[in-house]
């Protein structure tokens, strides 16, 4: 995969999502990653009650350093993505190890604990010549230095706030950039609704900058990202249906100045692009309204 991508000027960025989304690791290495006395109760977005690593256990750092050693060897690119999203309320509250750890470091909140772990991993990656990436929650707790790059998914203003604060920002505001959202509310359209629906005009209308973005902040806006979580995708044709033609609209957002964007002009060019996709065998979503 890395070689195939490199031949096409694409850098593959692996994501090892921690401290949440870690149930498989926890079940595989309980001797390292489980504190028997931790009675914390929580429920994550996927309804797991046992999928979050403990930032106060030495085994957590031993495990993650070992994983990152291998990941850094496998992926030659500059960035390693560490997730940091969807850590639920209630984690670490009844952990004796975390209580002692927080007292020793003067921490008062779970985001600070997560930030401590991410700061350790940021430093570990830096020694290997790598940079940390994470979802916007990575900066909660205010422990990362500003070499971190964050994916701003929550809203357009969040991207501005993070860029103005000095972080590198990949803009992917969910209501516009999440291509796993349903096209519209038709019951036969695949996709989620948690951030609304996203038809072609909505996707094309995405503008990741705001008037509040400072000059220095604008330099921190790396680009945009189209997101498609694939747990509901069963075959390649379904993936292509979700991606196209919305991915064409996202590309124009990424590469066109806001003043030059024009939906009518985009729609007038779209039939030629759709024909090209069809000749390549891509199963795109049909478009009824070609202006």
């Amino acid at each position: 995969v890395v070689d195939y991508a490199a031949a096409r000027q694409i850098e593959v960025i692996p994501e090892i999502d921690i401290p949440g989304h870690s149930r498989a690791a926890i079940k595989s290495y309980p001797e390292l990653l489980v504190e028997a006395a931790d009675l914390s109760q929580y429920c994550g977005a996927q309804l797991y009650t046992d999928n979050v690593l403990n930032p106060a256990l030495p085994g957590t750092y031993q495990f993650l350093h070992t994983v990152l050693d291998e990941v850094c060897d496998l992926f030659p690119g500059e960035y390693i993505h560490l997730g940091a999203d969807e850590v639920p309320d209630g984690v670490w509250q009844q952990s004796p190890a975390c209580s002692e750890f927080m007292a020793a470091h003067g921490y008062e909140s779970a985001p600070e604990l997560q930030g401590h772990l991410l700061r350790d991993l940021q430093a570990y990656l830096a020694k290997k010549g790598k940079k940390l990436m994470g979802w916007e929650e990575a900066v909660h707790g205010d422990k990362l230095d500003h070499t971190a790059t964050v994916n701003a998914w929550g809203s357009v203003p969040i991207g501005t706030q993070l860029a103005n604060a000095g972080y590198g920002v990949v803009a992917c505001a969910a209501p516009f950039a999440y291509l796993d959202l349903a096209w519209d509310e038709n019951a036969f359209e695949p996709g989620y609704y948690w951030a609304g629906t996203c038809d072609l005009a909505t996707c094309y209308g995405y503008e990741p900058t705001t008037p509040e973005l400072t000059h220095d902040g604008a330099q921190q806006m790396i680009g945009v990202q189209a997101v498609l979580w694939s747990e509901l995708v069963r075959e390649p044709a379904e993936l292509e249906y979700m991606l196209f033609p919305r991915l064409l609209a996202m590309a124009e957002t990424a590469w066109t100045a806001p003043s030059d964007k024009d939906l009518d002009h985009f729609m007038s060019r779209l039939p030629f692009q759709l024909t090209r996709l069809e000749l390549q065998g891509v199963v795109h979503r049909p478009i009824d309204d070609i202006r």
Side-chain angles (χ1 to χ4, degrees), residues 15-26 44-46 48 50-53 82-88 135 229:
E15 179 178 350
I16 307 297
D17 201 332
I18 57 95
H21 296 288
S22 298
R23 190 171 191 266
I26 290 168
Q46 288 74 37
Y48 290 120
D50 55 357
N51 71 333
V52 182
L53 297 171
L82 295 184
D85 61 318
E86 295 187 335
V87 174
W135 298 101
W229 305 105

Side-chain angles (χ1 to χ4, degrees), residues 9 17 24 27 106 132 147 167 212 214:
Q9 294 78 52
D17 201 332
K27 294 299 182 182
L132 181 148
T147 62
Y167 296 102
E212 291 72 32
T214 65

Side-chain angles (χ1 to χ4, degrees), residues 59-77:
T60 295
Y61 297 83
Q62 178 186 346
F63 173 78
L64 290 175
H65 290 176
T66 303
V67 169
L68 291 180
D69 286 344
E70 183 170 347
V71 169
C72 289
D73 287 342
L74 286 171
F75 295 90

Side-chain angles (χ1 to χ4, degrees), residues 203-214:
C203 190
Y204 188 85
Y206 182 32
E207 177 47 52
T209 62
T210 71
E212 291 72 32
L213 189 66
T214 65

Side-chain angles (χ1 to χ4, degrees), residues 178-191:
Y178 273 48
L179 303 188
D180 54 350
L181 294 179
W183 183 281
D184 57 30
E185 294 183 355
N186 186 311
F188 294 99
E189 286 290 343

Side-chain angles (χ1 to χ4, degrees), residues 19-268:
H21 296 288
S22 298
R23 190 171 191 266
I26 290 168
K27 294 299 182 182
S28 298
Y29 296 98
E31 68 278 11
L32 286 177
L33 304 176
V34 174
E35 179 190 14
D38 185 0
L39 302 179
S40 303
Q41 296 185 2
Y42 60 87
C43 185
Q46 288 74 37
L47 305 183
Y48 290 120
T49 60
D50 55 357
N51 71 333
V52 182
L53 297 171
N54 188 320
L57 298 182
T60 295
Y61 297 83
Q62 178 186 346
F63 173 78
L64 290 175
H65 290 176
T66 303
V67 169
L68 291 180
D69 286 344
E70 183 170 347
V71 169
C72 289
D73 287 342
L74 286 171
F75 295 90
E78 182 179 15
Y79 296 100
I80 304 293
H81 201 297
L82 295 184
D85 61 318
E86 295 187 335
V87 174
D89 292 337
V91 294
W92 313 318
Q93 288 185 359
Q94 302 299 320
S95 162
C98 285
S99 296
E100 183 178 344
F101 193 85
M102 291 176 71
H105 290 84
Y107 297 156
E108 297 180 353
S109 68
E112 288 183 290
L113 275 177
Q114 173 170 296
H116 182 101
L117 174 61
L118 292 173
R119 182 175 61 191
D120 173 273
L121 300 178
Q122 183 181 39
Y124 195 79
L125 289 172
K127 293 177 182 178
K128 296 176 174 292
K130 306 288 188 181
K131 293 182 178 179
L132 181 148
M133 290 188 74
W135 298 101
E136 63 190 46
E137 293 93 331
V139 305
H140 297 174
D142 195 25
K143 295 292 184 287
L144 294 179
D145 69 43
H146 289 178
T147 62
T149 297
V150 289
N151 303 77
W153 64 268
S155 68
V156 173
I158 287 175
T160 292
Q161 293 166 13
L162 293 171
N164 286 347
Y167 296 102
V169 170
V170 177
C172 51
F176 309 95
Y178 273 48
L179 303 188
D180 54 350
L181 294 179
W183 183 281
D184 57 30
E185 294 183 355
N186 186 311
F188 294 99
E189 286 290 343
Y192 291 119
Y193 299 92
W194 65 268
T197 57
C198 185
D199 62 13
L200 190 59
T202 300
C203 190
Y204 188 85
Y206 182 32
E207 177 47 52
T209 62
T210 71
E212 291 72 32
L213 189 66
T214 65
H215 178 270
D216 289 342
Q219 309 308 307
Q220 297 297 111
M221 296 292 289
I222 295 174
V224 300
Q225 174 185 26
V227 180
L228 201 162
W229 305 105
S230 59
E231 62 264 29
L232 299 183
V233 177
R234 297 167 294 182
E235 59 185 15
E238 292 184 3
L239 175 67
E240 293 168 358
Y241 181 96
M242 298 291 284
L243 284 174
F244 295 102
R246 292 185 293 187
L247 193 60
L248 303 177
M250 282 294 296
E252 197 142 316
T253 290
W255 297 329
T256 305
S259 59
D260 292 333
K261 289 178 67 177
D262 184 304
L263 180 60
D264 288 331
H265 192 254
F266 173 78
M267 296 299 288
S268 71

